[in-house]
Amino acid sequence: MNILFIDTYYQKEGNKVKNYIYNKLGFYIDIFSKEKIKYLTYNEEKINKKILAYLLKKMYKNQKVYVTFSRQAEKNKNITEIINNNILNKTIVTEQNNLYENDKKYIDKYIEEKKLNKKALKVLFVIDNIKDKRTKDKIEQFLKEYKIVDIFLTNLENYSSLKEYVENLNKEEGTTIEVLDKMPKTNYNILLVFSSMHKEYYNNSSFILDYNNSDLDIESNTYLIYKKNEKYFKNIFSKLNMEISRYEKTKLGKLYIHASRLILDK
């Protein structure tokens, strides 16, 4: 059983051989814990795909591997293709995002702590489109609990479909949802962010829940498992010159469930 971390982050250091290999091949594989834990860091523009593919195929022949991508690395199709084609016995460790199920307890906690009147709160959804059924379900759920629910659309190409959806909803439910094409100056008490594009949505008076960020689900089992074993992860990341903030905590918690023996092995 093995663990392979993958990221685009490379910290240049005093090891001239390591720096030379990284610059020459566009990647470097570092080793921790008796060769069972490795760190593949690569330069997307310079990576030598043939050599990397050969090394991975040879290193992990007939071996089980837990592959853990950083946020940045998992978006790169080239590296995921190399991994899929050359490591046969593998498990890709994914984050665990239960915010769609657990959001209510975080919002209710905020309302209770701030002693707010639930019926007087203003809720703003930040979305790119209205295609996802889960987003629609959340809008309709919050309409039943809050008086003011509006939507800020980040991508105006999707305005027509959203406008049609909102007009039908307002007509059926007797609501007054507004569709906004820019972030309003008016303060909303709760911002629910489903957008993967828009990041300038913060204001000081609001509770913000970004459904794309599983690390906000601080009461989930994988997050709590990570926190309980954080020192072991930090030790591994420090020895390999990795940046731990580039990996979801819920993903590392799930990795611990799979491969705790390797992580605890000093």
Side-chain angles (χ1 to χ4, degrees), residues 124-127 152 154 183-184 186-188 190-213 216:
L124 182 66
F125 281 74
V126 181
I127 69 174
F152 167 45
T154 64
M183 181 57 72
T186 305
N187 285 337
Y188 284 80
I190 299 172
L191 272 69
L192 303 177
V193 181
F194 298 82
S195 170
S196 58
M197 299 168 48
H198 192 76
K199 292 301 174 186
E200 298 176 6
Y201 47 72
Y202 298 98
N203 76 44
N204 294 330
S205 63
S206 302
F207 172 81
I208 302 162
L209 191 63
D210 186 342
Y211 286 78
N212 300 299
N213 185 359
L216 296 178

Side-chain angles (χ1 to χ4, degrees), residues 145-160:
E145 299 186 43
Y146 300 93
K147 185 177 181 181
I148 300 176
V149 176
D150 293 330
I151 301 173
F152 167 45
L153 180 66
T154 64
N155 187 348
L156 291 180
E157 291 181 1
N158 299 311
Y159 181 82
S160 297

Side-chain angles (χ1 to χ4, degrees), residues 101-116:
E101 293 78 26
N102 297 337
D103 54 353
K104 191 175 185 300
K105 63 182 175 184
Y106 299 118
I107 294 169
D108 287 347
K109 183 178 180 181
Y110 166 76
I111 292 171
E112 183 179 345
E113 288 178 349
K114 297 296 183 181
K115 296 180 172 59
L116 300 174

Side-chain angles (χ1 to χ4, degrees), residues 63 79 86 136 225:
Q63 294 191 57
I79 197 69
N86 296 283
K136 291 181 180 179
I225 288 170

Side-chain angles (χ1 to χ4, degrees), residues 13-250:
E13 53 185 68
N15 189 326
K16 293 183 179 180
V17 174
K18 179 177 177 179
N19 293 334
Y20 174 80
I21 293 172
Y22 179 80
N23 291 329
K24 187 74 174 178
L25 300 180
F27 70 88
Y28 189 84
I29 300 175
D30 221 333
I31 298 172
F32 176 88
S33 183
K34 300 176 183 177
E35 299 190 359
K36 293 296 184 180
I37 299 178
K38 295 184 177 68
Y39 172 43
L40 165 61
T41 177
Y42 68 95
N43 183 324
E44 184 179 344
E45 297 177 357
K46 297 181 179 180
I47 187 170
N48 188 315
K49 299 178 185 178
K50 289 184 178 180
I51 294 179
L52 178 57
Y54 170 79
L55 288 175
L56 291 174
K57 189 176 291 185
K58 188 170 184 178
M59 282 191 304
Y60 295 121
K61 184 178 181 181
N62 300 323
Q63 294 191 57
K64 173 71 177 180
V65 188
Y66 291 104
V67 179
T68 309
F69 290 98
S70 71
R71 293 182 182 88
Q72 291 76 13
E74 69 182 358
K75 298 175 184 177
N76 185 280
K77 292 182 180 180
N78 286 331
I79 197 69
T80 54
E81 184 178 326
I82 292 171
I83 295 299
N84 287 332
N85 291 340
N86 296 283
I87 302 179
L88 300 181
N89 189 4
K90 64 183 175 297
T91 295
I92 305 296
V93 182
T94 59
E95 65 173 319
Q96 178 174 306
N97 191 340
N98 291 333
L99 281 173
Y100 284 85
E101 293 78 26
N102 297 337
D103 54 353
K104 191 175 185 300
K105 63 182 175 184
Y106 299 118
I107 294 169
D108 287 347
K109 183 178 180 181
Y110 166 76
I111 292 171
E112 183 179 345
E113 288 178 349
K114 297 296 183 181
K115 296 180 172 59
L116 300 174
N117 179 357
K118 193 170 183 179
K119 293 296 182 182
L121 296 184
K122 297 179 179 179
V123 179
L124 182 66
F125 281 74
V126 181
I127 69 174
D128 299 327
N129 57 65
I130 198 63
K131 295 176 182 178
D132 191 343
K133 183 180 182 299
R134 294 185 302 174
T135 305
K136 291 181 180 179
D137 289 343
K138 281 297 170 187
I139 291 172
E140 291 164 23
Q141 174 190 333
F142 276 76
L143 276 174
K144 296 174 182 177
E145 299 186 43
Y146 300 93
K147 185 177 181 181
I148 300 176
V149 176
D150 293 330
I151 301 173
F152 167 45
L153 180 66
T154 64
N155 187 348
L156 291 180
E157 291 181 1
N158 299 311
Y159 181 82
S160 297
S161 58
L162 175 60
K163 188 69 173 175
E164 181 181 358
Y165 167 75
V166 167
E167 286 178 351
N168 289 334
L169 199 56
N170 283 337
K171 185 176 180 180
E172 293 172 4
E173 302 294 334
T175 52
T176 56
I177 303 173
E178 286 189 42
V179 177
L180 312 172
D181 59 3
K182 60 182 178 180
M183 181 57 72
K185 295 180 179 179
T186 305
N187 285 337
Y188 284 80
N189 304 97
I190 299 172
L191 272 69
L192 303 177
V193 181
F194 298 82
S195 170
S196 58
M197 299 168 48
H198 192 76
K199 292 301 174 186
E200 298 176 6
Y201 47 72
Y202 298 98
N203 76 44
N204 294 330
S205 63
S206 302
F207 172 81
I208 302 162
L209 191 63
D210 186 342
Y211 286 78
N212 300 299
N213 185 359
S214 65
D215 287 348
L216 296 178
D217 195 6
I218 58 175
E219 295 183 24
S220 67
N221 65 322
T222 49
Y223 184 93
L224 293 173
I225 288 170
Y226 165 78
K227 292 301 290 183
K228 185 177 180 180
N229 299 282
E230 188 173 32
K231 68 176 182 178
Y232 299 107
F233 281 107
K234 286 187 173 180
N235 179 45
I236 294 169
F237 276 65
S238 175
K239 292 287 181 63
L240 294 174
N241 286 319
M242 297 163 62
E243 181 55 58
I244 200 165
S245 64
R246 295 168 67 85
Y247 294 78
E248 295 92 345
K249 293 179 177 65
T250 62

